[in-house]
Amino acid sequence: ALPICKEALLEEKRRFLFLVDKHCNFSIHLNHYHARAAELLNDKLSKWQETCGDATKVPDTVVGMMKEMKTPNSTPISGTPQQSPKVERSRFMSGEVDYNSTTKVSPKLPQAPPDRKS
């Protein structure tokens, strides 16, 4: 019975070492992948910050993509972003707008179909 137990323990040890080896290799590759990704992002970061520094200046590559996307019947895309409409906070702060009001027009729901009993 002793040689069979010894053989079983050796097999378990081989399996364990195999899994440890695979796990270590995977961890090494994962670390390499993340290190490489960090390098690539750091290399591009300053260019991205420079490009995004002025929201009114659209890069030439983006303008080119926008021109390619236009179809003959589409509306032209402006090269300069438009300013967002400003919300009048004074109306909201003064209580002029009542969000709890039930006088709002609620959408009409269609009637449910009649029960069909055969």
Side-chain angles (χ1 to χ4, degrees), residues 34-106:
H34 285 287
R36 182 69 181 127
E39 285 176 25
L40 291 171
L41 291 173
N42 282 330
D43 289 346
K44 295 178 183 266
L45 182 62
S46 62
K47 175 96 171 110
W48 290 343
Q49 287 175 330
E50 179 184 321
T51 301
C52 298
D54 184 6
T56 60
K57 183 180 177 222
V58 179
D60 294 336
T61 53
V62 175
V63 171
M65 286 190 296
M66 291 182 341
K67 286 180 183 175
E68 288 175 14
M69 289 175 28
K70 281 198 298 189
T71 59
N73 295 331
S74 70
T75 56
I77 301 172
S78 171
T80 304
Q82 299 297 316
Q83 185 175 11
S84 299
K86 292 188 179 181
V87 177
E88 293 180 34
R89 290 187 177 186
S90 60
R91 288 182 57 210
F92 297 113
M93 300 304 272
S94 68
E96 187 179 323
V97 178
D98 183 12
Y99 288 108
N100 297 320
S101 174
T102 56
T103 60
K104 290 182 183 174
V105 178
S106 51

